[in-house]
Amino acid sequence: MPTPVIGIHDLSIATTHYVLDHATLAHHHGVPVDKYHYGIGQEAMSVPAADEDIVTLAATAAAPILQRHGTDNLRTLLLATESSVDQSKASGLYLHPLLGLPNTCRVLELKQACYSATAALQLALGLITRDPAERVLVIAADIARYDLDTPAEATQGAAAAAMLITADPALAALGPITGIHSTDVNDFWRPNYRTTAVVDGKLSITAYLDAVTHAYTDYRNRGGLPLEEFAAFCYHQPFTKMAYKAHRHLLAAHDLPTETTDLDRALAATTHYNRVIGNSYTASLYLALASLLDHTDDLTGQPIAMISYGSGSVAELFTATPAPGYQTQLRTTTDIINQRKPIDYHHYRTLHTTSEPTRDGHLVLPRETASPYRLAAITNHNRIYETTGHPPTA
Ligand code: CAA
């Protein structure tokens, strides 16, 4: 039997209720705003309301997909996150009542910093190769949180990307060849007792560049395309300037031109969403793909390099090729971004420093988010979610 074409059938993005612009942050940090706008390529960051977390972001992203495609043959949900809500229970299980998922759907959570959604895609490809009738829901959801008043604070953000993975995908086929590089490096990590990441910013940049170079070498050794044959390059974007640094590094390593116009042609369309949302860790790469598809005329049949990096570290390079007619499947991510409410600096800092109960505290959260999905309370160690809507139906 021939191997089926497998890939992304649908892609849906969600982000938070609030947004903080970098001009406000620059003012309070006492740095020129150009450092943020041009130096790191960021204009604004998504900020979660008190009643939002990765479960509510994941539900908000996944609901439109289930509305469009139903749950038939949906036998696996893979939720990839670095900002989980529990040390044992998979966050995806909270989506059952919120989204009306079938009991015949296995649920699993994956973690490897900003890389894990890419691993989830690879697992989905394996499951669907075994039974092409099955469909897998992959959700990448993260809240990037660093200590206040540190250089990394300007690279915070939050979002979720939900993807329905199927045979004969309507959006983009995922190629069978991937390049991988894994190594032990302490560039960014978050011990269990911390709500914010520990990061060695400069090391994280060189670790990212090294890992991407090695992943591309592995990809080529396994028969992958040369750089010149890609129509565009979607990188993990902890800040959008990082994509430019990485692409320049990769091109230079292969004696290819690195003029600004070459970089812009390959990257500019991939940066629109991450530039105003900030780092969404494992969702970031898939926000780059959504941005590219929404901001480029026609990429049908043209290979796109997908370059995933998760600190710690794992990098993986693979190919996505837009399917004929993919443009009819595109969504309105810009509206989702524009619906966010500006937050004032004091409120932002209050939300940042307010933590959930660490023992058996009782927390009731008034409605703050405009999303239909929200965290209503934490009581007796239980997280109570609620929805104002009905679970999506086919
Ligand atoms: N106008 C224009 N540009 C300016 C400027 C100005 N007035 N002032 C400074 N800049 C430029 C600098 O020249 C620099 O550019 P280059 O990198 O091209 O040299 C850029 O702005 C940043 O300035 P600094 O190097 O001084 O930045 P910083 O020390 O304040 O912090 C950072 C930058 C290290 C990235 C920090 O934001 C950080 O630690 N972020 C978190 C870690 C991170 O995102 N790492 C990325 C790789 S790891 C990864 O990808 C996984 C992940 O998601 C975490």
Side-chain angles (χ1 to χ4, degrees):
M1 206 168 60
T3 311
V5 175
I6 306 171
I8 305 171
H9 192 58
D10 201 351
L11 167 63
S12 166
I13 306 294
T15 189
T16 60
H17 183 65
Y18 291 121
V19 57
L20 181 73
D21 68 68
H22 276 67
T24 304
L25 196 64
H27 171 72
H28 286 278
H29 280 190
V31 301
V33 71
D34 282 358
K35 173 172 177 178
Y36 295 154
H37 285 177
Y38 303 109
I40 61 170
Q42 290 305 123
E43 280 178 25
M45 62 169 81
S46 284
V47 177
D51 55 348
E52 292 179 320
D53 63 13
I54 57 119
V55 172
T56 66
L57 289 175
T60 311
I65 289 188
L66 299 182
Q67 261 149 12
R68 288 192 283 264
H69 306 285
T71 57
D72 287 353
N73 284 341
L74 182 64
R75 292 189 57 82
T76 306
L77 163 63
L78 302 173
L79 198 156
T81 186
E82 179 277 352
S83 16
S84 187
V85 297
D86 196 279
Q87 294 282 41
S88 172
K89 179 172 174 176
S91 307
L93 286 163
Y94 290 109
L95 298 179
H96 255 268
L98 296 177
L99 294 179
L101 293 172
N103 297 113
T104 48
C105 176
R106 68 171 69 81
V107 177
L108 185 68
E109 184 164 312
L110 295 93
K111 177 186 71 181
Q112 195 338 87
C114 311
Y115 162 74
S116 57
T118 299
L121 286 188
Q122 297 303 330
L123 297 181
L125 294 181
L127 288 166
I128 297 166
T129 302
R130 199 177 61 173
D131 178 0
E134 284 196 20
R135 303 186 301 163
V136 178
L137 183 60
V138 170
I139 310 178
D142 262 316
I143 295 170
R145 202 172 267 140
Y146 295 96
D147 286 343
L148 292 171
D149 305 318
T150 62
E153 185 186 355
T155 63
Q156 296 178 128
M163 291 172 273
L164 187 65
I165 311 303
T166 67
D168 299 323
L171 205 58
L174 299 177
I177 300 174
T178 81
I180 299 170
H181 183 74
S182 298
T183 192
D184 179 11
V185 54
N186 282 346
D187 60 334
F188 163 106
W189 67 106
R190 188 164 68 81
N192 286 344
Y193 49 83
R194 286 183 62 103
T195 55
T196 52
V198 184
V199 63
D200 181 337
K202 303 297 178 202
L203 174 64
S204 73
I205 291 172
T206 54
Y208 180 129
L209 297 178
D210 283 352
V212 164
T213 309
H214 288 303
Y216 175 67
T217 302
D218 184 48
Y219 171 80
R220 281 292 281 154
N221 289 342
R222 293 168 60 82
L225 298 172
L227 292 172
E228 302 89 308
E229 290 190 22
F230 287 108
F233 291 77
C234 292
Y235 284 86
H236 164 55
Q237 294 171 11
F239 49 95
T240 62
K241 186 83 175 287
M242 189 67 222
Y244 281 76
K245 281 180 189 293
H247 199 51
R248 186 181 294 108
H249 187 79
L250 197 55
L251 293 176
H254 295 88
D255 297 322
L256 291 166
T258 59
E259 299 303 320
T260 306
T261 47
D262 301 309
L263 299 175
D264 274 339
R265 196 168 41 247
L267 302 172
T270 73
T271 60
H272 293 284
Y273 299 153
N274 286 312
R275 193 175 171 83
V276 292
I277 284 179
N279 196 353
S280 56
Y281 292 158
T282 197
S284 152
L285 174 62
Y286 302 95
L287 266 61
L289 177 64
S291 173
L292 173 70
L293 297 179
D294 288 349
H295 293 91
T296 310
D297 277 349
D298 185 10
L299 287 164
T300 306
Q302 300 184 54
I304 298 161
M306 299 289 292
I307 302 162
S308 186
Y309 175 73
S311 292
S313 71
V314 181
E316 183 158 351
L317 193 153
F318 61 102
T319 311
T321 306
Y326 79 94
Q327 284 152 310
T328 61
Q329 309 294 320
L330 296 179
R331 310 295 165 211
T332 51
T333 304
T334 307
D335 292 349
I336 292 160
I337 291 170
N338 291 342
Q339 279 161 11
R340 292 174 303 173
K341 303 279 176 271
I343 188 170
D344 71 61
Y345 189 66
H346 177 72
H347 188 181
Y348 152 70
R349 284 183 76 100
T350 305
L351 283 175
H352 195 290
T353 47
T354 307
S355 53
E356 293 180 354
T358 49
R359 291 178 189 275
D360 53 356
H362 182 66
L363 179 71
V364 175
L365 293 158
R367 169 165 282 283
E368 200 170 347
T369 179
S371 165
Y373 304 99
R374 69 178 216 98
L375 176 66
I378 301 177
T379 179
N380 292 330
H381 306 289
N382 291 310
R383 301 178 80 80
I384 314 294
Y385 291 94
E386 66 180 24
T387 176
T388 52
H390 298 292
T393 49

